[in-house]
């Protein structure tokens, strides 16, 4: 009996402790599981934006806010990787035919739209047809008008037939692909997708409070893996001073800073305790453009002289607090298309004066202003209101150019007046403006002679048959090295001719809350690996119950 | 009274049409058009896009034809669709934002009256005292300081340094998860700075106006007579003088409304409040003609309505004024 009781006690002991050990293990396992999840998924990034989005069907929107938000919701067939190289996005890979007129995309399999429907080649064909439909109010159809037709031999193959070879065509396929099952047969301007988009991207649309915020939530089934940051919130704060205060307060996590804010106003321990600051060369440059129809600027020696008399170092130091680099052409120094071997113009007043003398300019009436054939070296620089850097540059130039005998007046104009009354009508002497530098290097719209008339963008009317020929060659050359040689040559010609005095490429200056881990700055900026960012559990700020 | 009201309301119709005509012309006189902001200086935008948009918006037609097209819709209370890329109905856009602006303006207006009237009356009563002089300086400081500058200063001090008030917006990010009372507290906290600054900026005018009005009344013969009869001073002030002193102040009420709506443009931009002022500013910058017209018409209507209300209140306060036919 005693033995039986002992056995029973032993059994009970084994059962109890055996079970409890199991349950401990189970709990430990689940805890580990939770810990793993807690380490990766969670929190939100609150980003600040000056303007609200207008339309979340990207082909219908031309504002940067809409495109910023939509870029998290949609994918293109191709995308730029962190080193700014074109790689597959929805496409697994692509190939270009021998005659360069057919591009074949092989699509990734198993991708789903946010509503669960499968993504197929039909969606690509539909997006193309929608863009070139005359009833679609899109501004981005020009790259697709040269497509002859598209074939979809199966669900995962797209063949695009072009009327002529066109190298920038590849970049055009970074355009967002839209869901045909939701838009087919629907008038796109009446589609609810304009305000409640459905894409294939890393984030799904959650909520849009007009004028206030747009909230996106992580797509658990994203084909590159679920983003770790649970939500992306786009807060609309129209006043940049207010946005900066919100940043200081920690109510927004990320903001592009001005050089002044970056160099002075955030250089304190309180700010550094909460934020990391990043800088990388922005995709834009600032320049002085000379109206080449004005007889003053016909002679390239005058333009060269003005460039010699431009203190680019002082401008970068004074206006940008040193946060920028000198521009020598239409590409930035970190771009693969940049040619470092072009003619440089170091600040040299004497050289400038001698060039002007060579060009026949003399101060005959001793009024301090040079003249030639009764034409005084006197002109007006115009620029747009609301950009203090440009007006400061104008003042520096006014002062510096006076040293070589040029009398410069400055006019600052409201944007619409500036474009409508002066740029579009070609009614200006010199202009300070900036261009963004697209990742696709084609220079056709800004530098080709055919874009001189009308309301086109070669408003300084630069006409050079050699440059025209090179631009045309560059547009049909798919080989990187051969294309690079073409653009190198163009940069050399532009550097010699100085139709613009290329001033500077500014830095993108970003402040980001330091609770985000895995941030990896690269030529493409900060956000290229955003889906891999995470916040440690102890640093989390937002916890979502739903 | 009813006939007077109907007459006034009917009288508003030609007035509103006149306002719309002038506004339409002035808006179109400004350089630039909506297509410019869609396509200008963007190399990625196709050349034909601008022409396509011009046709779509009827901008290729003469201005008077455009106005008639707009008016044709307006008489059916249709304000058309926004030119912006969301193509939303103007009325939806405005209605989405009007309540916030109205709410903030009504709160500001009510507080201005609640604070400015007693201040003005007290100032008049204590004329040339230290209180009167201090108050004069205080309200004129409020009048003179640029609102946006003071707003930024307050946002920095109360928001960043003290951390007791939110900097901008209408509600917190976690608003939906708050309790009922939490939501009310959240709204009040967010509205505090914009309303306080709006009130501070408007105090000078109204308190000075009520002070002068009160002083005028206090110099009237019937007040002198009342004092001679030995009626206590507080009774003279609050029973006899105040009611009459209020009369011109009521007129100011109606005239304040357009000013407050105009002021919303600055406040709503600085404090990131998605109201009508912010929408108006964005629409003007984007040359979104239908939205600009919609807001102007609604603003004009509210102003006229404000004036009408002031007149009605005038009658209520002053027994000598009655809007009826003389017998």
């Amino acid at each position: 009996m005693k033995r039986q009781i002992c056995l029973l006690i032993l059994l009970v002991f084994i059962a109890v402790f055996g079970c409890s050990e199991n349950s401990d293990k189970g709990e430990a396992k689940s805890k580990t599981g939770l810990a793993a999840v807690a380490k990766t998924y969670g929190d939100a990034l609150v980003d600040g934006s000056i303007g609200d989005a207008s339309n979340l069907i990207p082909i219908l929107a031309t504002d940067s806010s809409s495109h910023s938000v939509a870029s998290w919701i949609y994918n293109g067939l191709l995308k730029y990787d962190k080193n700014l190289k074109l790689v597959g996005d929805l496409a697994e890979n692509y190939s270009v035919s021998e005659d360069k007129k057919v591009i074949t995309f092989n699509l990734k399999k198993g991708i789903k739209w946010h509503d669960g429907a499968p993504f197929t080649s039909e969606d690509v064909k539909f997006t193309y047809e929608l863009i070139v439909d005359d009833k679609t109010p899109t501004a981005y159809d020009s790259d697709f008008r040269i497509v002859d037709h598209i074939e979809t031999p199966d669900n995962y193959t797209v063949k695009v037939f072009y009327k002529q070879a066109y190298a920038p065509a590849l970049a055009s396929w970074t355009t967002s692909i839209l869901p045909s099952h939701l838009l087919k047969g629907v008038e796109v301007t009446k589609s609810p997708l304009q305000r409640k988009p459905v894409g294939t991207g890393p984030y799904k649309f959650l909520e849009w409070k007009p004028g206030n915020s747009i909230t996106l939530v992580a797509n658990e089934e994203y084909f590159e893996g679920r983003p770790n940051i649970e939500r992306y919130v786009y807060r609309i704060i129209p006043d940049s001073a207010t946005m900066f205060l919100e940043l200081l307060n920690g109510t927004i996590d990320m903001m592009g800073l001005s050089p002044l804010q970056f160099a002075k106003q955030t250089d304190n321990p309180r700010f550094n305790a909460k934020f990391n600051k990043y800088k990388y060369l922005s995709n834009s440059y600032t320049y002085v453009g000379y109206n080449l129809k004005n007889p003053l600027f016909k002679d390239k020696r005058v333009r060269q002289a003005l460039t010699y008399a431009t203190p680019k170092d002082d401008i970068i130091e004074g206006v940008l607090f040193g946060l920028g680099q000198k521009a020598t052409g239409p590409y930035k120094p970190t771009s693969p298309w940049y040619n470092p071997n072009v003619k440089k113009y170091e600040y040299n007043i004497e050289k400038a004066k001698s060039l002007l003398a060579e060009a026949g300019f003399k101060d005959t009436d001793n009024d301090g202003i040079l003249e030639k054939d009764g034409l005084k070296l006197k002109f007006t620089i115009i620029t747009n209101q609301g950009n203090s850097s440009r007006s400061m540059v104008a003042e520096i130039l006014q002062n510096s150019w006076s040293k070589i005998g040029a009398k410069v007046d400055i006019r600052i104009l409201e944007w619409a007046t500036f474009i409508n009354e002066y740029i579009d009508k070609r009614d200006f002497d010199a202009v300070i403006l900036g261009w963004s530098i697209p990742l696709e290097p084609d220079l056709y719209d800004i530098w080709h002679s055919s874009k001189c008339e009308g309301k086109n963008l070669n408003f300084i009317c630069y006409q050079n048959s050699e440059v025209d020929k090179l631009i045309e060659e560059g547009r049909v050359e798919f080989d990187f090295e051969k294309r690079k040689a073409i653009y190198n040559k163009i940069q050399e010609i532009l550097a010699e001719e100085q139709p613009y005095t290329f001033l500077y490429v500014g830095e993108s200056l970003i402040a980001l809350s330091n609770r985000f881990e895995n941030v990896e700055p690269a030529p493409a900026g900060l956000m290229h690996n955003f889906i891999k960012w995470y916040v440690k559990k102890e640093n989390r700020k937002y916890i979502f119950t739903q | 009274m009813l006939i007077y009201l109907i007459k006034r309301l009917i009288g508003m119709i030609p007035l509103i049409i006149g306002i719309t005509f002038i506004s339409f012309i002035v808006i179109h006189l400004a350089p630039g058009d909506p297509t410019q902001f869609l396509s200008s200086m963007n190399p990625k935008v196709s050349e034909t896009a601008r022409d396509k948009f011009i046709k779509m918006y009827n901008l290729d037609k003469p201005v008077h034809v455009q106005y008639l097209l707009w008016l044709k819709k307006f008489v059916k209370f249709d304000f058309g669709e926004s030119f912006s890329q969301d193509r939303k109905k103007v009325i939806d856009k405005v209605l989405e934002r009007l309540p916030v602006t109205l709410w903030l303006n009504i709160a500001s207006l009510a507080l201005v009256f609640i604070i400015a009237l007693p201040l003005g009356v007290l100032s008049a009563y204590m004329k040339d005292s230290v209180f009167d002089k201090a108050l004069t300086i205080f309200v004129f400081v409020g009048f003179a300081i640029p609102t946006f500058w003071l707003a930024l200063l307050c946002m920095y001090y109360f928001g960043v340094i003290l951390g007791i008030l939110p900097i901008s917006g209408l509600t917190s990010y976690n608003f939906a998860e708050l309790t009922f009372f939490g939501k009310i507290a959240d709204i009040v906290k967010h509205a505090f700075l914009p309303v306080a600054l709006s009130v501070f900026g408007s105090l000078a005018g109204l308190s000075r106006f009520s002070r002068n009005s009160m002083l005028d009344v206090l110099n009237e013969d019937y007040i002198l007579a009342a004092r001679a009869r030995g009626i206590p001073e507080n009774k003279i002030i609050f029973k006899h003088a105040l009611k009459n002193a209020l009369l011109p102040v009521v007129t100011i009420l109606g005239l304040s409304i357009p000013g407050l709506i105009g002021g919303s443009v600055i406040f709503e931009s600085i404090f990131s409040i998605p109201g009508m002022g912010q929408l108006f500013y964005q629409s003007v910058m984007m040359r979104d003609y239908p939205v600009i017209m919609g807001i102007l018409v609604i603003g004009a209507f509210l102003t006229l309505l404000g004036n009408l209300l002031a007149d009605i209140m005038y009658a209520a306060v002053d027994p000598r004024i009655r809007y009826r036919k003389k017998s």
Side-chain angles (χ1 to χ4, degrees), chain A residues 249-270:
Chain A
N249 210 26
T251 28
I252 60 171
D253 297 313
M254 191 162 86
M255 178 186 167
L257 300 177
S258 69
L260 177 69
Q261 288 167 340
F262 190 90
K264 308 281 177 196
Q265 294 169 349
T266 55
D267 195 17
N268 56 66
R270 192 179 160 174

Side-chain angles (χ1 to χ4, degrees), chain B residues 147 151 193-195 197-198 263-273:
Chain B
T147 314
L193 274 182
V195 170
L197 287 163
S198 168
S264 304
V265 174
I266 300 168
F267 273 99
E268 291 177 5
S269 294
I270 295 176
F271 287 102
S272 311
I273 296 168

Side-chain angles (χ1 to χ4, degrees), chain A residues 22-202:
Chain A
N22 275 346
S23 72
D24 272 350
K25 268 186 186 164
E27 202 181 318
K29 197 177 173 184
S30 81
K31 264 185 186 167
T32 321
L34 274 174
V37 169
K39 192 183 169 189
T40 50
Y41 305 139
D43 213 336
L45 177 103
V46 184
D47 197 357
S49 163
I50 291 277
D52 199 356
S54 62
N55 194 320
L56 292 179
I57 295 182
I59 57 164
L60 302 184
T62 52
D63 58 301
S64 59
S65 302
S66 300
H67 286 285
S68 286
V69 176
S71 69
W72 299 113
I73 298 168
Y74 297 96
N75 296 92
L77 288 185
L78 303 177
K79 68 174 179 184
Y80 287 98
D81 70 1
K82 65 177 184 176
N83 295 314
L84 303 177
K85 201 178 146 220
L86 266 181
V87 294
D89 191 4
L90 290 170
E92 185 75 53
N93 52 49
Y94 66 92
S95 58
V96 182
S97 67
E98 279 286 311
D99 66 355
K100 297 166 187 171
K101 286 189 181 173
V102 185
I103 305 176
T104 306
F105 296 100
N106 297 308
L107 306 184
K108 285 177 185 162
K109 288 174 184 155
I111 295 176
K112 283 182 182 171
W113 292 98
H114 293 160
D115 63 355
F119 159 75
T120 66
S121 56
E122 181 53 32
D123 295 309
V124 182
K125 192 170 184 224
F126 168 79
T127 304
Y128 156 72
E129 283 165 355
L130 184 68
I131 292 173
V132 294
D133 187 339
D134 285 333
K135 285 183 216 136
T136 305
T138 180
Y140 304 117
D141 55 348
S142 61
D143 279 348
F144 296 94
R145 294 273 174 201
I146 51 165
V147 172
D148 185 64
H149 68 284
I150 284 189
E151 285 176 10
T152 51
D154 59 57
N155 273 348
Y156 299 102
T157 310
V158 178
K159 279 176 173 287
V160 189
F161 294 81
Y162 282 86
K163 291 170 192 161
Q164 71 228 30
Y166 181 58
L170 277 177
S172 72
W173 289 104
T174 55
T175 215
S176 302
I177 302 299
L178 302 169
S180 69
H181 68 287
L182 296 173
L183 286 165
K184 206 162 204 168
V186 179
E187 203 179 322
V188 68
T189 53
K190 301 267 188 284
S191 164
L193 263 62
Q194 294 179 107
R195 304 203 65 84
K196 287 182 181 174
V198 174
T200 49

Side-chain angles (χ1 to χ4, degrees), chain B residues 9-19:
Chain B
L9 285 170
I10 291 171
M12 277 185 197
I13 295 169
L15 210 55
I16 292 253
I17 290 177
I19 290 168

Side-chain angles (χ1 to χ4, degrees), chain B residues 111-316:
Chain B
L111 279 170
V112 167
F113 270 78
I114 290 168
I115 298 167
L117 285 183
L119 283 182
V121 170
L122 269 176
S123 256
Y125 177 58
M126 299 162 79
K127 189 173 173 261
D128 294 332
S129 67
V130 177
F131 171 79
D132 183 31
K133 282 173 185 164
L135 192 76
T136 306
I137 292 169
F138 177 72
V139 295
F140 276 97
V141 164
F143 192 64
I145 290 181
T147 314
F148 68 92
W149 182 77
L150 190 64
L152 288 174
L153 217 64
C154 288
M155 285 153 89
Y156 183 66
Y157 188 72
F158 293 106
V160 180
I161 302 288
L162 296 182
I164 51 173
L165 287 175
I167 288 169
S168 69
L170 209 57
T171 54
S172 295
Y173 183 60
N174 62 344
F175 185 74
E177 287 153 30
L178 296 175
T179 59
F180 176 72
F181 290 107
K183 280 180 180 166
I184 290 176
D186 192 57
I187 291 173
V188 170
K189 268 171 107 176
H190 277 83
F192 185 84
L193 274 182
V195 170
L197 287 163
S198 168
V199 168
F200 185 57
S202 314
L203 272 184
L206 199 69
S207 66
R208 290 295 91 182
F209 196 83
S210 57
R211 178 183 180 271
N212 292 343
S213 177
M214 192 71 186
L215 282 175
D216 286 347
V217 174
L218 287 176
N219 288 331
E220 292 280 339
D221 290 344
Y222 70 92
I223 298 289
L224 197 68
R227 280 185 177 140
R229 285 209 304 275
I231 297 172
E233 192 64 20
N234 61 345
K235 211 171 175 187
I236 291 173
I237 298 272
F238 294 108
K239 199 172 173 194
H240 300 284
L242 184 62
K243 204 173 172 188
N244 289 329
L246 269 182
L247 207 58
V249 175
V250 168
T251 319
I252 298 287
L253 176 78
L255 299 175
S256 303
I257 293 172
L260 281 171
I261 290 176
S264 304
V265 174
I266 300 168
F267 273 99
E268 291 177 5
S269 294
I270 295 176
F271 287 102
S272 311
I273 296 168
M276 221 161 72
Q278 203 189 77
L279 179 69
F280 186 64
Y281 178 74
Q282 285 162 358
S283 308
V284 170
M285 295 319 283
M286 300 301 292
R287 307 290 192 272
D288 191 348
Y289 301 147
V291 178
I292 300 173
M293 286 304 293
I295 295 176
L296 283 176
V297 170
I298 290 166
F301 179 72
L302 286 178
T303 307
L304 294 174
L305 205 67
N307 288 343
L308 180 63
L309 278 175
D311 288 348
I312 294 167
M313 280 169 70
Y314 217 80

